[in-house]
Amino acid sequence: MAKRESIAEKYKWKLEDIYETDEAWEKDFVKLDGMMEGIPAIREKLVDSARSLAKCLDKIERMEHIAANLFVYARMRRDEDNSAPKYQAMTSRATEISVRLSSALSFVSPELLKVKKSVLHRYIEKAEAAKKAVELGAAGKKEAALARLADFDFMLRELLRGKKHVLSEKEERLLSMTGEIAGAPRDIFTMLNNADLAFGTVVGNKGRRVKLTHGSYIVLMQSPDREVRERAYNTLYKVYRQNINTISTAYAASVKKDIFYARAKKFDSAIERSLFSDAVPVSLYNNLIKTVHENIGTMHRYVQLRKDALKLDKLCMYDIYAPLVQDAGGEYNFDKAMGIVKKGLACLGDEYGALLAASVKERWIDVEETPGKTSGAYSWGVYGVHPYVLLNHRGDLDSVFTLAHELGHAMHTHYSNANQPEAKAGYTIFVAEVASTVNEILLTHHLLKTTRAKKQRLYILNHYLDQFRTTVLRQTMFAEFEKMTHGNVENGTPLTYESLCEMYGDLNSFYHGDAMERDENITYEWARIPHFYNAFYVYKYATGFSCAVQIATDILSGKKGAVENYIKFLSSGGSAHPLELLKIAGVDLGSGKPEEVCMQAFAGALDEFAEAL
């Protein structure tokens, strides 16, 4: 592994675009500390008038902007080398001042909610009228100042939308005091799962004894040696089964917590409360499950193909990650990978291509793995500066897909920041994975079109099929399990480890079909899924992938306006609810069409893979 100082500058991100020096960071830290002294005055004047609200929100945004700059810069410097004490300290200081700022500003929402709906609506109407006057060049100083409030109109409308679920001040204060208690089930599971559970060792590849961890388990489950997979599988689940009473109690408490907050906040169900922030109806969640059920035959066919391809008399769950195609080989250094990605995404237009070129020229990307560098990959940044991408480029085909994925996030951020005010630039998790997945799907189709070697084509198709299986089918199964567990408790049926295992085992059998052997171990899989402690979240992976498939299908088919509408979607940031934003890209999740298109694409890719085998 090369040391960071030996890496060419062009392969290292340029964080100087946020702060030219660490000294400039220190100056902003002091500046923010001073600005925070004016927060009591902001509280006094916050809702005096529409203009006063505009001025106060502007001051708050400027403080939050600096806090974000401080944290992102320090954290990304630390990510270059996590052992560097200087940036460990700067990250801690940035975290501390951000927490202090957040705490000092905690009055904002409660104060705004005290204002009558009619008054806030009038403020918003005045701001929008002032904004139009500014755009027409007919605004004076007062209108110009008031127009600033229009940047916050969506945030204010969201506050009003949720007002019916806000309790009295005393009730809200009492409810907030339960926060640490409410986090106990998740914290207990996290400590048990990551600190206390010891899985021992297993004999791995080439007869070497390997310490079994969450990370090594995934690697072992991808081993071509079936005995290695089986040993890892049985060893891991033995430990979960030994601790199942503790885990089931923690999960049952988490479900009860979700239901308690839903009822306290005047929602009809826990799922309704969870979906409320994105303005997603429960019917959409149910429709995802329904559509997958109606098309489950494709998944069953995939499982049967896997059984046949591996030439097994009995296919077991420890075979589900076994490679159907060995590594396609080939070396893809960063420059070669970037060239492939540019060609694969050329259908998105010249402007998009120019931005991809700029990401290299302007050093948005930190490419190479170096000692102490944060593992994995991500895209991040701050408003007003281009986005950044962290990679640990390995030079294989998966690294090419990772590059396309993270650049999808980066382009989404760039377009949002370039076209939205800061208050509306941030997009939600619901749409966050759409742009990255669109890039991966477009790249997949490009590679299939330009690759002739059978082994590489099979590898690409297998990669694509695994995305459908893990991101759509598996996450929908998780979503259905969460719906069942919460529904049981809401209807008065307690959760026990026996009932949880029975529900999960039945679901797993339904999703995988008759070609998959059912064993007792897999009924315990729910006990090791951390996502279940953040209920009704995983369905977003499945809907996001489905939306991406439809968008990519429209683009590749040459549908009129598909590219232009997609760029408009990327440019919309968080200016509206996710379902409305997706409609800009021609995707109507409420219709059920994206899920249907997605499952059809799964079936098509499966046909192509079966034919190529």
Side-chain angles (χ1 to χ4, degrees):
M1 192 185 296
K3 291 185 177 180
R4 187 167 186 86
E5 54 267 26
S6 69
I7 302 295
E9 288 296 302
K10 66 178 181 177
Y11 298 126
K12 293 189 282 190
W13 55 21
K14 190 181 178 185
L15 297 186
E16 289 83 359
D17 290 341
I18 303 177
Y19 286 111
E20 193 169 343
T21 62
D22 292 348
E23 288 71 28
W25 184 93
E26 291 288 354
K27 286 181 180 179
D28 247 8
F29 190 95
V30 173
K31 179 181 179 181
L32 177 58
D33 215 20
M35 291 172 72
M36 288 170 62
E37 293 177 5
I39 290 177
I42 290 174
R43 181 168 190 167
E44 287 179 12
K45 299 177 181 179
L46 183 67
V47 293
D48 283 356
S49 67
R51 282 178 60 205
S52 179
L53 180 58
K55 288 180 180 178
C56 289
L57 292 178
D58 178 73
K59 290 177 181 178
I60 290 169
E61 184 178 82
R62 282 190 279 129
M63 285 188 284
E64 291 177 335
H65 177 82
I66 294 173
N69 283 9
L70 292 171
F71 181 77
V72 172
Y73 176 84
R75 179 60 183 270
M76 290 172 77
R77 281 295 187 204
R78 195 187 81 179
D79 285 346
E80 294 175 351
D81 181 1
N82 284 276
S83 66
K86 178 179 182 180
Y87 295 114
Q88 290 175 3
M90 284 173 64
T91 300
S92 295
R93 289 171 61 204
T95 301
E96 182 275 330
I97 201 168
S98 293
V99 170
R100 193 150 46 90
L101 176 63
S102 178
S103 177
L105 294 174
S106 62
F107 66 88
V108 175
S109 291
E111 287 297 317
L112 288 172
L113 286 169
K114 288 178 183 177
V115 181
K116 291 181 179 180
K117 278 189 176 184
S118 58
V119 173
L120 272 185
H121 277 302
R122 190 165 66 249
Y123 284 0
I124 295 169
E125 288 168 2
K126 284 183 177 180
E128 289 174 342
K131 184 178 180 181
K132 287 181 181 178
V134 169
E135 291 170 350
L136 294 170
K141 288 185 179 180
K142 290 183 178 180
E143 286 82 7
L146 183 55
R148 180 75 171 94
L149 186 59
D151 291 347
F152 303 95
D153 59 351
F154 183 68
M155 178 270 284
L156 293 171
R157 286 194 172 97
E158 279 298 275
L159 274 174
L160 292 174
R161 185 173 71 91
K163 192 168 184 176
K164 62 182 178 181
H165 298 293
V166 176
L167 309 179
S168 69
E169 187 173 346
K170 287 183 178 179
E171 288 171 325
E172 286 289 347
R173 183 172 179 276
L174 188 62
L175 209 58
S176 69
M177 291 168 66
T178 66
E180 282 193 66
I181 303 170
R186 181 190 63 246
D187 293 342
I188 290 168
F189 174 78
T190 299
M191 293 304 296
L192 183 69
N193 199 41
N194 296 312
D196 293 343
L197 294 188
F199 303 107
T201 61
V202 294
V203 177
N205 298 321
K206 299 180 181 180
R208 295 170 182 159
R209 188 156 286 279
V210 179
K211 183 178 181 181
L212 189 59
T213 64
H214 296 295
S216 66
Y217 176 73
I218 299 301
V219 176
L220 292 167
M221 288 295 282
Q222 294 171 344
S223 170
D225 187 332
R226 195 174 192 226
E227 290 185 0
V228 169
R229 300 197 301 268
E230 184 179 8
R231 283 194 294 268
Y233 179 79
N234 289 332
T235 302
L236 183 93
Y237 280 104
K238 179 182 178 181
V239 175
Y240 281 102
R241 291 170 69 170
Q242 289 170 341
N243 291 274
I244 198 61
N245 288 306
T246 299
I247 297 172
S248 60
T249 301
Y251 179 61
S254 183
V255 172
K256 291 174 184 175
K257 174 261 298 179
D258 295 335
I259 293 167
F260 165 75
Y261 280 112
R263 289 173 176 169
K265 288 286 191 173
K266 304 171 188 175
F267 287 97
D268 291 335
S269 65
I271 188 171
E272 184 191 7
R273 174 177 176 264
S274 180
L275 272 55
F276 181 80
S277 62
D278 287 322
V280 171
V282 177
S283 60
L284 187 146
Y285 191 99
N286 293 334
N287 189 64
L288 168 67
I289 296 170
K290 177 175 176 287
T291 303
V292 169
H293 277 214
E294 291 170 350
N295 292 274
I296 202 65
T298 304
M299 177 62 173
H300 294 173
R301 194 155 58 89
Y302 167 83
V303 174
Q304 182 64 55
L305 182 145
R306 173 170 279 278
K307 180 180 179 180
D308 296 341
L310 294 172
K311 298 177 181 178
L312 297 173
D313 293 330
K314 290 184 177 181
L315 183 75
C316 299
M317 282 303 299
Y318 52 77
D319 300 314
I320 200 69
Y321 292 103
L324 296 180
V325 183
Q326 295 303 313
D327 189 344
E331 293 184 8
Y332 303 86
N333 63 35
F334 176 74
D335 294 324
K336 183 177 180 180
M338 193 70 194
I340 293 170
V341 169
K342 286 178 183 177
K343 290 177 181 177
L345 303 180
C347 57
L348 294 177
D350 293 340
E351 183 187 42
Y352 199 98
L355 287 169
L356 291 175
S359 73
V360 177
K361 185 178 180 181
E362 297 173 9
R363 293 171 50 200
W364 301 8
I365 309 171
D366 205 77
V367 178
E368 304 293 343
E369 183 179 14
T370 52
K373 183 178 176 180
T374 293
S375 61
Y378 66 67
S379 176
W380 204 16
V382 295
Y383 189 84
V385 179
H386 59 75
Y388 288 91
V389 171
L390 178 139
L391 300 175
N392 282 274
H393 193 79
R394 298 188 308 274
D396 55 9
L397 193 56
D398 280 346
S399 295
V400 183
F401 279 103
T402 299
L403 176 60
H405 181 101
E406 297 305 335
L407 284 171
H409 287 308
M411 295 302 118
H412 195 175
T413 299
H414 168 82
Y415 277 108
S416 293
N417 288 357
N419 292 279
Q420 297 295 329
E422 190 165 2
K424 297 181 185 178
Y427 45 86
T428 67
I429 293 295
F430 196 97
V431 298
E433 291 301 322
V434 173
S436 56
T437 308
V438 165
N439 276 13
E440 285 201 65
I441 295 170
L442 293 177
L443 177 61
T444 296
H445 284 275
H446 167 73
L447 290 171
L448 290 173
K449 188 183 292 185
T450 57
T451 303
R452 295 289 173 263
K454 178 181 177 180
K455 188 177 180 181
Q456 284 194 319
R457 287 182 62 81
L458 283 171
Y459 186 84
I460 295 161
L461 282 165
N462 185 56
H463 179 276
Y464 195 30
L465 289 172
D466 275 346
Q467 285 184 300
F468 284 102
R469 180 182 65 79
T470 58
T471 310
V472 181
L473 278 300
R474 183 169 170 80
Q475 303 304 325
T476 301
M477 183 178 80
F478 286 173
E480 188 169 1
F481 178 72
E482 290 183 313
K483 181 186 173 187
M484 292 169 70
T485 57
H486 287 75
N488 276 13
V489 175
E490 285 170 337
N491 292 325
T493 303
L495 297 178
T496 64
Y497 87 79
E498 293 94 345
S499 67
L500 289 164
C501 288
E502 182 179 2
M503 280 188 284
Y504 193 89
D506 289 346
L507 277 176
N508 194 75
S509 293
F510 171 76
Y511 274 78
H512 290 85
D514 295 337
M516 177 66 73
E517 293 290 315
R518 176 168 178 167
D519 67 73
E520 192 174 358
N521 277 340
I522 200 59
T523 68
Y524 289 82
E525 187 180 38
W526 63 268
R528 70 179 190 89
I529 309 298
H531 285 307
F532 289 155
Y533 293 82
N534 184 10
F536 306 115
Y537 170 89
V538 294
Y539 86 101
K540 297 177 185 180
Y541 292 120
T543 54
F545 193 90
S546 299
C547 292
V549 169
Q550 186 187 325
I551 291 168
T553 300
D554 289 346
I555 291 170
L556 292 169
S557 67
K559 183 177 179 181
K560 186 178 180 180
V563 172
E564 293 79 6
N565 290 335
Y566 176 57
I567 299 300
K568 287 179 184 176
F569 159 74
L570 295 181
S571 304
S572 299
S575 58
H577 294 129
L579 299 189
E580 295 304 311
L581 295 176
L582 286 165
K583 286 178 181 177
I584 297 170
V587 177
D588 184 0
L589 262 177
S591 69
K593 181 185 174 184
E595 292 94 335
E596 286 287 353
V597 171
C598 179
M599 294 305 291
Q600 288 167 14
F602 182 28
L606 185 59
D607 289 341
E608 194 171 350
F609 186 80
E611 186 178 336
L613 266 178

